[in-house]
Amino acid sequence: MISAALGLQIALDVLLVALVGLAVGSRWAEALSTGGLDAGAWCALACGLALLAVYGVGRSRINVRDTAVDAPRGAWWPTGAWVAALIVGWALLLLLTPVALWIAFPLMFLEMHVLGPRRGILAVAATTACAIGGAILGGQQLVGSILGPTFGGLVAIAVVLGFETIVRESQGRQELIDDLVRTRADLAASEREAAVATERERLAREIHDTLAQGFSSIELLLRAADASLEEVVAPGAFAPGASGPTAARAARGYVTQSRLAAQQNLAEARRFVRDLAPADLESATLVGALERVADRTALAAGGGLTVTVESSGQARPLPVPVETALLRIAQSALANVVQHAGASRAAVTLSFLGDAVALDVVDDGHGFDPRRVAAARRATAAPDPTRDARSAVGQEGSEPGAAAGGVPATRSGFGLTAMRSRVAELGGTFSLETSPGEGTALAVHLPLDPQEPR
């Protein structure tokens, strides 16, 4: 498909060749009608051919069609020299035949385009002056000789300037469209990166609150089983009154609990892959799910921890994201009570407050200095979700078995960060009160949308 610029250039070429042929043909016809070809006819033919040759050479060397309207134009070489040669050749032909006056109009359009709006207007003015002089020498009326070329020059200037203005506006719109396309591509890339980061954070939270905590419980149970087996293999363990049989039963119980914890971890992993709700919420209310988590926590602690669950207010179903977040927070908190806090009692309280719901987890463990934990978290380059954290209740990031009031490890854990992230996503508030030797109290407050479907 021929573009508009190419079509205009072809039309200009055809018009110029046709008008040169018309001028030369009219001069030959005039000579033949008066008795034969004279020197003037042959000179007109030579001038016409020379004009077309100069035009053809310039068209082959100067890219007229693809010259940008905003590009610098009008240089003396080769553009200015080419236009000057065309004007001289046309003026010579005009002296031989007045019909060549019509060639001025395509020349004016060419001059405006290749020389630009400044030098082009000067060239058009010179062409107009030559056309007026040729018309007067040709014996035409004075008024017509002046008005015709003048109006022709003005029309050529107006048309070319108007066309170039349209082209500039079109180019500006195209640049704007290109910028919008690039911006949209950049925005899409940013959204993809944000989505990947969000999904990575969600996966880290889920892994930390489910699989990592389950594996930690299994490790504690197997450690207790190993300690019991040490008593079993001790000399005289099965002598009358010895503790061998009791230790063997205890070891078997720990192994059984580990197997059950592994089965629960496997179920959580499968549900996690299928992006389902937590298993504890499938067939029970949130309070019932919290009670199950509390029972498993007490069992994993080997009887050294008492966990209670209480609720206040009028219980009602909550949105699934809210129930999932509260359950995961309580699960992570109680798991860290077992691993790090060294507590003997922990209490979980769920409060229904009308337009909000609150979760409190309190223990009587070692406690810690939250300022030191915050400093350790800021000094950490990147949180590691696979590392156990003394997160909700107890010292986040401390090694298991740290003494009461001990110093948290320099590398902070992921628990508190994951909890705060969950609460922030639901527009709630998270607070933590603790000090070394004074236990820890965690409080979560989540608003509820009355219009949100349950």
Side-chain angles (χ1 to χ4, degrees), residues 268 277-290 292 319-328:
E268 287 286 0
D280 291 319
L281 290 174
E282 277 197 338
S283 58
T285 63
L286 177 58
V287 175
L290 291 174
R292 290 183 181 180
V320 174
V322 174
E323 290 189 341
T324 301
L326 293 175
L327 180 64
R328 293 305 189 202

Side-chain angles (χ1 to χ4, degrees), residues 132-353:
I132 292 174
I136 294 175
L137 292 177
Q140 297 184 16
Q141 294 182 357
L142 181 61
V143 176
S145 300
I146 297 175
L147 293 181
T150 301
F151 280 118
L154 293 176
V155 169
I157 293 173
V159 170
V160 173
L161 291 180
F163 177 76
E164 292 188 353
T165 300
I166 294 174
V167 171
R168 290 189 185 92
E169 293 179 353
S170 177
Q171 291 176 345
R173 286 194 295 269
Q174 185 61 44
E175 291 176 358
L176 178 60
I177 292 173
D178 293 340
D179 290 340
L180 290 175
V181 171
R182 286 192 296 269
T183 301
R184 184 172 61 181
D186 294 341
L187 180 60
S190 299
E191 289 178 349
R192 285 194 297 270
E193 292 175 0
V196 170
T198 301
E199 183 64 12
R200 184 181 293 114
E201 182 181 356
R202 186 187 72 84
L203 293 176
R205 288 199 309 263
E206 293 296 329
I207 291 174
H208 174 270
D209 293 342
T210 56
L211 303 182
Q213 301 294 356
F215 290 139
S216 297
S217 298
I218 293 173
E219 192 272 337
L220 290 175
L221 290 170
L222 292 178
R223 185 184 299 176
D226 183 68
S228 298
L229 289 176
E230 290 290 338
E231 297 182 17
V232 172
V233 299
F238 289 91
S243 61
T246 303
R249 287 191 296 271
R252 182 181 182 85
Y254 289 135
V255 172
T256 301
Q257 295 173 22
S258 300
R259 187 174 66 253
L260 293 176
Q263 292 174 352
Q264 293 169 356
N265 241 26
L266 179 60
E268 287 286 0
R270 290 171 176 170
R271 294 178 184 278
F272 175 66
V273 170
R274 291 177 294 181
D275 198 20
L276 299 178
D280 291 319
L281 290 174
E282 277 197 338
S283 58
T285 63
L286 177 58
V287 175
L290 291 174
E291 290 174 347
R292 290 183 181 180
V293 172
D295 293 339
R296 289 201 299 268
T297 301
L299 187 63
L305 174 67
T306 301
V307 183
T308 60
V309 177
E310 298 180 355
S311 65
S312 62
Q314 184 177 359
R316 64 185 185 280
L318 300 175
V320 174
V322 174
E323 290 189 341
T324 301
L326 293 175
L327 180 64
R328 293 305 189 202
I329 291 172
Q331 186 177 6
S332 179
L334 292 177
N336 284 283
V337 170
V338 176
Q339 297 169 30
H340 307 297
S344 60
R345 292 189 304 275
V348 179
T349 304
L350 181 66
S351 303
F352 297 90
L353 306 175

Side-chain angles (χ1 to χ4, degrees), residues 336-395:
N336 284 283
V337 170
V338 176
Q339 297 169 30
H340 307 297
S344 60
R345 292 189 304 275
V348 179
T349 304
L350 181 66
S351 303
F352 297 90
L353 306 175
D355 60 348
V357 62
L359 175 71
D360 297 280
V361 182
V362 181
D363 72 73
D364 61 354
H366 302 316
F368 63 97
D369 186 353
R371 290 174 298 180
R372 301 183 69 179
V373 173
R377 184 167 55 249
R378 286 193 299 269
T380 302
D384 185 357
T386 63
R387 190 180 188 277
D388 290 335
R390 188 162 302 184
S391 58
V393 203
Q395 290 172 310

